[in-house]
Amino acid sequence: MAAADNTSAALRRRDLCSRGIRLAGKMRSDVVDLLDTYVERQGLDASASVAAVEGVPVAAVERWDEQTGTQRLLENLAAYRAFRALLAQMLEEQQEQLGEADTTLGQALAAVLLQVSAFTYHLEELLRLESRGPPSEEGPEPPPAPHLSLFERKLRGLGVLRELAQWAVRSTRDLRQLAKPNPGSSSAASLAESP
Amino acid sequence: MFSGWNWVAHGLYLLWNICSLGVSGGLVQSCGHIIPESPVLTLGSSFTALCILNESCLDFGNIYANQIIWKIKNRVVPKEQYREINRTVSSVTFNDTSSLANPLTCNILADGQIEQNIYGITVTVGLPPEKPKNLSCIVRQVSKLAYPMTCTWNPGKPTFLDTHFRLKYRWPQENFPDCIPKDVNNSCMITDVQFFVNLEVWVEAENALGKAESDPLVLDPIEIVKPLSPHNLSVNSEILPTVLKLSWENRISAAVMKLKFNIRYRIMGDTNWMQVPPEDTASPRTSFSVQGLRPYTEYVFSIRCMKEDGVGYWSDWSEEKTGVTTEDKPSKGPPIWRSIAASHSPTFWTVHLMWKALEPFEANGVIFKYEVTVRSKSSLSSLVEKHNVNTTNLTLKLPNGTYEVTVIAHNRVGASPPSVLLIPASNSKAPVKSVRTLPKDGKLWVGWTAPNSYVLKYVIEWCLVSNSSDCIIEWQNEPGNVQGTYLKGDIKPFKCYLITVYPLYADGQGSGQSVKAYLQQDRPSKGPTVQTKKVGKAEAVLTWNHLTVDEQNGFIRSYTIFYKTVDGNETAVTVDPSKTEYTLSSLTSDTLYTVRMMAYTDEGGRSGPDFTFTTQKFGKGEIEAIVVPVCLAFLLIVLLGVLFCFNKRDLIKKHIWPIVPDPSKSNIAQWSPQVPAKHNFSSKDQMYPEGSFTDVSVVEIEADDKKSFSEQDLKPFDLLKKEKSTSEGHSSGIGGSSCMSSPRQSVSDSDEGETTQNTSSTVQYSTVVLNGYRDQTPVQVFSRSESTQPLLDSEERSEDQAGGGDSTTQRQHYFKQNGGQDETNTDRPCFERTKQIIHANEGDLVGFAQLQISGQSSQLLGLGLEKNTQEAALSDVLQASTEGQTVRSESVEGNPMLVDEMPKSYLPQTVRQGGYMPQ
């Protein structure tokens, strides 16, 4: 019975990883497209550099290959939960700014938001399979949005989307790493992570 | 009457009470109400309604529950369905709501007479929604980023109520707004779905009677995607003539799904698609090179795609794009055949070479010329002719012999392999056997049995056989390993085709074997026109012409001749189709017949025009068969009659000619002073010993001169002789006493040489009555006839002539006796006279005839008859004399009378007692 459960869990995990990878790929593709649309509609320069935005998780990480599976999942989960909030805020601001006039951008933002939500769900499910469970979202409250000008909000949105695109790439790599048949890695990681 | 008015007054009072109660609240207020109020009921269920009366109505209107009447759409509900709950409440129950109708009203019968409506409700009957079934979804890509998902389901049977369907879907951690169908109840479209996350989808149906949900469908929308087909398809030719390269753009991101493809293609103008092997295009790509194509051929391409792993739906086929492969040299030589016609010169042939243009897939380009080479195979001649033509035929005049003809087709790339045809001097090789045809699938199949020798190929020649056009030859080649093929041409139905199969060998060709065939047969377009060739009494020979090929429409299998009389049944006779003539027999004579003829093919027959004829009344020779026997029978009867008459002439003579006694044998003859009594007497005594004469006629015959019978006078002699007519004379002598004639009429028996006999008209001149018998002395009485007939006149004249006549005129006394004496004896004196006359005029033929005549027709001559009468009598005599001389020659000798002894005059005398004296 336990063996059957393990097999089912393994299949479930593999399925979640596979679909998560593809979802991340699509999310990146869509975000890239959204970036073009966003830059165009917001009147920004595609080559404009954006400084790090506060509250936006950074995809770059040192010693990526040394991370455990759970660690990867937790960092991804934290990042996408943050993106979900940021995108929701962007969508609200976009609707406030443009109203119903620019449905294309709004729809694209909503689609990406949904994908972020879906990916978040994947990560939570994977964490449940890791016998750890997803951490509660009731973490530290996100810092209150500073009062920004319209242009600053546009730039922040640009930064969010760019970082999301980066995260999509990283998430793909993370899930591929998780999908590799290395059953001891996660447990080792878990053990390593265990205090 | 009083009671009636009381009821009316009571009703008005009740009405006033009700109205007053209704208005007492300020507005119209009902006296009661129904529970439930406008219910929605399940179809087929039971239903009970309550009508509750207001207490106030009880007080003022004397209205109670037992007065309540329930109605459905003005139809009173049977009281069996009522139940009085209490004095203010009445219920009605319906076991089946399907019997309900609107409105359902509660009414009061006030004082049992006036019906007043209290309240009414509308009942809605329907069904609760069924559980939606067969929920399925598909994501149809409409643009690069838009993936609406459409779900459909079976809503179940109608509920008759307003039922709302909702398509619900959710992620495990997130709910989405419901999809509400618009204008339909069995499908809904979710405008945007997210892939790679399982989506739970279900349908909820709800109405006033309940709610139902379908089974949930859990799916990842990416698995039900029908992507947009690739677009911007382009086709480019490659260097190789058999390759075309296709390029396209995919309209779904590789991040969403990886695609596999199907590529189909067909030759322009062809309807059959070919497909690139699916395994060659099972991976994501945007181009593909299709190989194995025909050179210089225009192809049409189309492409479609689906999720690489095959989960989902194929896209629609893309728009079609065409491309043409490059040219290549012809793949084969043109099929070649020939027809040979005799030339004016016996040593030359007119060879008409013909070849077929290569099919496009064989030509591989544009054929711009044909190179024809003719080589003589004869060892004596090395004739080589080369011709470059751009047509598909060539006529050559060649010396008789065997030739090898080669045809090569050229296009811009190169030359075809040569096609070789051997034209032999004679077709002496083995032919094919058993050529047969079979219509099949609208085409004409020709089969044959191959000869024993190896055959390179076959040539099938055919042409349409028609009266209106020449036989235009069409032909086709078939490889030597087949024994049947379809004719490749426009083969028309109902037309006759002459098909010939030639086997071609390596060293010559076999003779052709032909067969006629139809692709499809029909009834003949007309029937044969039949007519009679000969009509007899019971038979008729019918003849007709064969139908022309154009009229036959098929193989004539038989003819049927139908013939009938006007009112008779029709008779049918089946005739072999090769015949053009038939004899109808057993016909009725002298009858009008109508005949027609039908020609039959396998598909039926058609009748020709009617033809009528009448059989003859008599058959051939029938008239002759009747007439000839009748004539023969007549002749036989005549002959028998003649024989009978001949045999019974005595009897006839007796009845016809009266017996005239021979005066010479009478006693009076002896008495006559001019005749020696002894001579006659003695002879008479010998001849008539008993002397029983009853009648005696005395005839005085006077013979004319020889000169009186001129040759002219003899001319009508023959006529009279032929006619055998009765000789008419003005005999005035003693009737019936003439030896050969009668005074008026004599039977034309002179041919037989009979002595003439008197007819019944003969007049007795005198009668000698012998009173004596045997030994007794008879008393003879002579009585002169009192007749005034010319005989007496003649007699008188003869007497006158005798007295004062010409001395040269010979007078003859002719005696004839009757009375049962032998004929020969009777005639004997006549011939005695004739004989003697002949002696007297010996050597003179005319005189002989005259004498015969004078002797036998003495009566005529002696009486000085007219010339014609004499001639007529002469003919009789002339005929009779020839026989009479021989037959009766003996009796001549016994005649004692001589010419010299003939008395010069005649006087009736009594020879014996009782003499007679002229008065």
Side-chain angles (χ1 to χ4, degrees), chain A residues 19 22 114-115 118 121-122, chain B residues 171-173 194 196-198:
Chain A
R19 292 162 67 184
R22 296 168 67 186
L114 277 176
Q115 292 176 57
Y121 163 73
H122 275 278
Chain B
W171 281 346
Q173 81 285 8
Q194 297 302 317
F196 313 117
V197 185
N198 280 344

Side-chain angles (χ1 to χ4, degrees), chain B residues 584-597:
Chain B
L584 296 178
S585 57
S586 302
L587 303 179
T588 308
S589 63
D590 194 23
T591 304
L592 179 68
Y593 278 90
T594 300
V595 63
R596 65 189 172 91
M597 195 164 182

Side-chain angles (χ1 to χ4, degrees), chain A residues 12 15-27 30 115 118-119 121-122, chain B residues 171 193-199 219-223 225 252-258 307:
Chain A
R12 172 71 177 156
D15 177 61
L16 284 170
C17 287
S18 171
R19 292 162 67 184
I21 291 168
R22 296 168 67 186
L23 178 57
K26 182 175 187 303
M27 188 164 55
D30 289 352
Q115 292 176 57
F119 197 77
Y121 163 73
H122 275 278
Chain B
W171 281 346
V193 294
Q194 297 302 317
F195 298 133
F196 313 117
V197 185
N198 280 344
L199 191 66
L219 51 86
D220 184 347
I222 197 66
E223 296 171 348
V225 172
I252 190 166
S253 169
V256 176
M257 67 166 67
K258 292 181 180 177
K307 194 162 174 278

